[in-house]
Amino acid sequence: MSQKPAVLLSHPMIGPMQPVLEGAYEVHRFWDHADPAAFLAGPGQAVRAIVHAGEFRLDPAVLGQMKNLGLIANVSVGYDGVDVPWCRANGIEVTHSRGLNADDVADHAVGMLIAGWRGIVEGDQMVRAGTWTLTDRMRPRASLRGKKAGIVGLGHIGEAVGRRLEAFGMTVNWWGHREKPGAPWPMAASLLDLARDTDALMVCCRASPQTEKLISAEVIDAVGPRGAVINISRGQVVDEEALIAALKAGRLGLAGLDVFAQEPTPAERWADVPNTVLTPHSAGGTVDSIPLMVASCLENLRCFFAGEPLPTPVAD
């Protein structure tokens, strides 16, 4: 019988981590078990840590059956699929890769804004389709310089987005559920006030029950027909139906989305939605950030099994 500590990989998306774990741990893959109940009643009883991708929901009813479970180590920065209060009440620690892909996500968010604002995607399609004429140059787009950016959620990513947009000559304001002393930019009195006074609403907040459909029809309409909504948070933070309706009706200028209510999002859902830049939840995953996040997860595992303080526990 193996003396290695037992860890469980929760989702196929993080299956590539198995080889780097096997030297130190007995690795189980939850998706391999056609009868999850049998696994939980058998080998699952030895599992002491779960390696997890935080966007996927972990059912407390399942977690509660693993009596030796003490850690959920999220490879990701986000952990919205984990019921942190329940875990804490049941003696289970939760960690994540705090802030490690913030710059990459911010780059992607700003890239989507520029692509939509300056019509880069449409321009590419026009050139490739052979429909470009010289008169197209007489329909110029607006500059970003002098425009207003509103950031929803001023964490690591929100700050990184703000600093980049400031470099483009934009005025930056923000709003969040909690005040942030020492923030580099003014905080709006409310989300609606921020939306009314912005040209580009950058959605950077953490997903939680409190932020479900936070970007509502009212907020979207407040941004208006000349404004942009860019979402690199989670799909559920934006009322996607309201966003699509506003884009089709011309009540919203444009949207850039890296995250969706359902992932993968159905292609037909967006076939006739104008003025969009869509990417497949790729903002935070680069060849630079992924190794950092994997290393953070491994260090949290090492410290847990060594009885040392965890480097990056979830803070709230």
Side-chain angles (χ1 to χ4, degrees), residues 25-226:
Y25 307 105
E26 179 185 350
V27 180
H28 299 275
R29 307 195 310 176
F30 195 58
W31 62 93
D32 281 343
H33 298 276
D35 186 350
F39 168 75
L40 292 169
Q45 292 299 302
V47 169
R48 295 186 58 199
I50 294 176
V51 177
H52 186 53
E55 67 202 74
F56 301 105
R57 183 174 182 268
L58 285 179
D59 188 348
V62 171
L63 301 180
Q65 296 180 56
M66 289 182 275
K67 302 305 181 183
N68 288 297
L69 181 63
L71 175 68
I72 296 169
N74 292 288
V75 185
S76 54
V77 176
Y79 49 89
D80 42 295
V82 181
D83 188 334
V84 176
W86 183 92
C87 288
R88 286 184 174 152
N90 287 273
I92 300 169
E93 300 275 3
V94 183
T95 61
H96 68 137
S97 296
R98 185 187 305 145
L100 292 180
N101 64 0
D103 284 328
D104 290 327
V105 176
D107 289 346
H108 196 98
V110 174
M112 285 196 296
L113 174 61
I114 296 170
W117 196 268
R118 295 298 302 274
I120 291 173
V121 174
E122 295 92 330
D124 177 86
Q125 293 169 344
M126 184 185 299
V127 171
R128 293 176 186 278
T131 58
W132 173 28
T133 68
L134 295 181
T135 56
D136 292 312
R137 293 184 63 189
M138 303 309 294
R139 290 188 288 270
R141 300 259 184 157
S143 171
L144 282 174
R145 182 164 296 278
K147 300 301 188 293
K148 298 177 179 179
I151 299 175
V152 183
L154 200 64
H156 290 96
I157 293 170
E159 280 209 38
V161 168
R163 296 194 187 283
R164 283 158 174 74
L165 295 181
E166 203 170 41
F168 280 93
M170 298 186 76
T171 301
V172 178
N173 293 282
W174 72 284
W175 177 86
H177 282 111
R178 290 174 291 193
E179 293 187 8
K180 189 171 183 180
W185 308 290
M187 180 179 178
S190 70
L191 174 57
L192 203 54
D193 285 340
L194 182 72
R196 287 175 180 142
D197 194 34
T198 195
D199 297 294
L201 192 72
M202 313 297 289
V203 185
C204 306
C205 60
R206 182 170 65 84
S208 69
Q210 192 178 20
T211 60
E212 181 88 16
K213 294 187 178 179
L214 179 69
I215 310 304
S216 63
E218 185 179 19
V219 171
I220 292 165
D221 284 345
V223 176
R226 295 187 178 181

